[in-house]
Amino acid sequence: MVSKGEETREKLLDIAEQQILLNGFAATSIDSLIKEAGITKGGFFYHFDGKNDLAYALMHRYRERDAFLFSGLFNRAEELTNDPLQQMLVFVKLLSEMMEDLKGLHPGCLVASFTYESHQVNEEVRKITADMVMDWRRLFEVKLEKINASYQPKADTTSAELADMLSTIIEGGIIVSRALNDPSILVKQLLAYRSYISLLYA
Amino acid sequence: MVSKGEETREKLLDIAEQQILLNGFAATSIDSLIKEAGITKGGFFYHFDGKNDLAYALMHRYRERDAFLFSGLFNRAEELTNDPLQQMLVFVKLLSEMMEDLKGLHPGCLVASFTYESHQVNEEVRKITADMVMDWRRLFEVKLEKINASYQPKADTTSAELADMLSTIIEGGIIVSRALNDPSILVKQLLAYRSYISLLYA
DNA sequence: TCGAAAACTTTACCCGGGGTATAGTAAAAA
DNA sequence: TTTTTACTATACCCCGGGTAAAGTTTTCGA
């Protein structure tokens, strides 16, 4: 049973996430959040110490949700096959299908948002953002090293670099998709990464 | 002979570029710009109609400089070899070396900055940012299609996708480098792209 | 060298947003 | 039913974006 306070808090985080992904952190005003949530400023400050505290809470939730999501996708991949290469390929495929389904919305990621406004936001937000990217690296790197144990790669790119490459393509794909106002670019880039991995261990 | 007005204007653009790359557009105040430039607010508004006008002028200059830079790197590559594949590989190598030299500075790109704060900035800025990414696509795609005429690619990724992949890796590499506070990631990702192209047409 | 633009300075003001504080109140939980 | 919880309402301060207009110096061309 979720308390009323938790409900409002989550609602504020939902609205904040939406607005920050669309307009950035600095451009997202507390006023616009409370207006959409239908509460007053006092209500906001009851739940959060200020804008930076909201950013931290939001990023914390974002990281946890993302970890849950990614491990869920990997689990589905592991159910389908025992081969680590196939698992990685399925994971990227599932991820691209997820992005395909979200085509209607503007693509965005809080990591990019906060990274680009890092000095405006506090040090704790910067740290948790870095932690989240490190989560990705570890998650992908483990799988890529298992692939290396069974297959001979056709280039000398390290597992860490290949892991970071997926993070890079996700973040960069979002930027380019936003810049050109074409969400399909992100999907295509994920499939291009998949194609690269496939070729590398073919 | 450059007039005094032009000099101050360029100085303001330089300072703005630096601050926006570091802190983002919204967090960059006119006050901090004029303080660093040593002029008053009136002086700023003599040169620019406002913050959005500054953003547009800045992005215009950024696009032109970048086009000059990239075509310069391609010219150097074309002087070294006639093979389009080798030219592409040399281009990416030169680009990575440039980034390596800039390791001391925080990596950044106005495309990412403005793309992530697009709704805060005006429509004209959004458009010129998209134009710049389209410049990149065209520049890379032409070269990649020439490669396709001489070599047989080992995967069915299109030239446009491979072209966008470089833009994606540049922008994403900057984000990940910033997030982890490690400029070497961008350099490594560029070399990983190079390695992919090399493998694709080997 | 002189006068007219150009390139500013100075001052003063409005508004919106972040942030603080505090008294009061309705609703939920114990 | 009483005590927290979860707010509302009001009122304020400061900063920064942005506007406006009058006055001053600098530059440059005729």
Side-chain angles (χ1 to χ4, degrees):
Chain A
M1 177 69 192
V2 63
S3 69
K4 197 195 170 192
E6 274 305 309
E7 216 173 272
T8 307
R9 193 186 148 91
E10 287 297 308
K11 192 178 176 184
L12 278 170
L13 288 174
D14 287 344
I15 295 169
E17 186 171 326
Q18 235 182 292
Q19 292 198 11
I20 292 171
L21 285 176
L22 196 58
N23 305 315
F25 180 68
T28 299
S29 73
I30 295 179
D31 277 16
S32 72
L33 297 179
I34 62 177
K35 194 181 173 188
E36 200 177 327
I39 60 166
T40 58
K41 221 172 198 176
F44 176 89
F45 279 92
Y46 173 77
H47 290 289
F48 303 102
D49 282 347
K51 219 184 166 190
N52 280 345
D53 185 45
L54 169 80
Y56 182 75
L58 185 58
M59 200 57 210
H60 189 80
R61 194 184 75 160
Y62 198 69
R63 184 188 177 196
E64 282 189 341
R65 283 188 177 179
D66 181 86
F68 181 76
L69 178 76
F70 275 21
S71 66
L73 292 183
F74 262 122
N75 285 341
R76 282 177 59 193
E78 282 158 7
E79 278 166 18
L80 286 171
T81 170
N82 280 319
D83 180 39
L85 175 58
Q86 285 306 314
Q87 287 171 357
M88 190 69 192
L89 295 178
V90 168
F91 170 79
V92 179
K93 189 80 200 300
L94 290 172
L95 191 60
S96 75
E97 281 167 5
M98 252 194 51
M99 295 307 166
E100 176 78 28
D101 291 343
L102 298 173
K103 253 183 177 174
L105 289 74
H106 284 255
C109 175
L110 288 184
V111 170
S113 292
F114 286 133
T115 296
Y116 250 91
E117 301 182 278
S118 56
H119 288 257
Q120 145 99 7
V121 186
N122 61 40
E123 173 61 19
E124 282 163 343
V125 173
R126 200 205 57 74
K127 197 177 170 307
I128 203 171
T129 305
D131 287 343
M132 189 166 155
V133 178
M134 280 305 293
D135 289 346
W136 291 345
R137 176 187 282 182
R138 271 189 288 266
L139 186 68
F140 305 148
E141 200 180 5
V142 166
K143 193 59 70 180
L144 287 161
E145 273 177 353
K146 275 191 192 144
I147 301 175
N148 269 336
S150 322
Y151 296 83
Q152 191 59 34
K154 294 195 167 38
D156 58 355
T157 311
T158 67
S159 296
E161 281 161 10
L162 283 176
D164 285 347
M165 199 175 187
L166 186 47
S167 308
T168 297
I169 282 177
I170 291 170
E171 296 301 325
I174 290 170
I175 299 266
V176 175
S177 290
R178 283 175 80 114
L180 297 182
N181 199 24
D182 177 4
S184 73
I185 293 173
L186 173 57
V187 176
K188 284 179 193 159
Q189 290 302 314
L190 285 172
L191 294 177
Y193 176 80
R194 196 181 114 100
S195 167
Y196 173 40
I197 297 297
S198 189
L199 179 62
L200 188 62
Y201 294 103
Chain B
M1 178 68 191
V2 63
S3 69
K4 198 193 169 192
E6 273 304 309
E7 216 172 273
T8 307
R9 194 185 148 92
E10 288 296 308
K11 192 177 175 184
L12 279 169
L13 289 173
D14 288 342
I15 295 169
E17 187 171 326
Q18 236 182 292
Q19 293 198 10
I20 292 171
L21 286 175
L22 197 59
N23 305 316
F25 180 68
T28 299
S29 72
I30 296 180
D31 278 16
S32 71
L33 297 180
I34 61 178
K35 194 180 172 187
E36 200 177 326
I39 60 166
T40 59
K41 222 171 198 176
F44 176 88
F45 278 91
Y46 173 77
H47 290 289
F48 303 101
D49 282 347
K51 219 184 164 190
N52 280 345
D53 186 44
L54 168 79
Y56 182 75
L58 185 56
M59 198 58 210
H60 189 79
R61 194 183 75 160
Y62 198 68
R63 185 187 177 199
E64 282 190 340
R65 283 189 178 179
D66 181 85
F68 181 75
L69 178 76
F70 275 21
S71 65
L73 292 183
F74 261 121
N75 285 341
R76 282 177 58 192
E78 282 158 7
E79 278 166 19
L80 286 171
T81 170
N82 279 321
D83 180 41
L85 174 57
Q86 285 306 315
Q87 286 170 357
M88 191 67 190
L89 296 178
V90 168
F91 171 79
V92 180
K93 189 79 200 299
L94 290 173
L95 191 59
S96 74
E97 282 167 4
M98 251 193 52
M99 295 308 167
E100 176 79 28
D101 291 342
L102 298 174
K103 254 183 177 172
L105 288 74
H106 285 255
C109 175
L110 289 184
V111 170
S113 292
F114 286 131
T115 297
Y116 252 91
E117 302 181 277
S118 56
H119 286 257
Q120 147 97 8
V121 185
N122 61 39
E123 174 60 21
E124 282 163 342
V125 172
R126 201 206 57 73
K127 198 176 170 307
I128 203 172
T129 305
D131 287 343
M132 191 166 153
V133 179
M134 281 305 294
D135 288 347
W136 290 345
R137 176 187 281 180
R138 271 190 286 269
L139 186 68
F140 304 149
E141 201 180 4
V142 166
K143 192 60 70 179
L144 287 160
E145 274 176 353
K146 275 191 191 146
I147 300 175
N148 269 336
S150 321
Y151 296 83
Q152 190 61 33
K154 296 193 165 38
D156 58 355
T157 311
T158 67
S159 297
E161 282 161 11
L162 284 176
D164 284 348
M165 198 174 189
L166 186 47
S167 309
T168 296
I169 283 178
I170 291 170
E171 296 301 325
I174 290 170
I175 299 266
V176 176
S177 290
R178 282 175 81 116
L180 298 181
N181 199 24
D182 177 4
S184 73
I185 293 173
L186 173 58
V187 176
K188 285 179 192 159
Q189 290 302 314
L190 285 172
L191 294 176
Y193 176 80
R194 196 181 112 101
S195 166
Y196 174 41
I197 296 297
S198 189
L199 181 61
L200 188 62
Y201 293 104

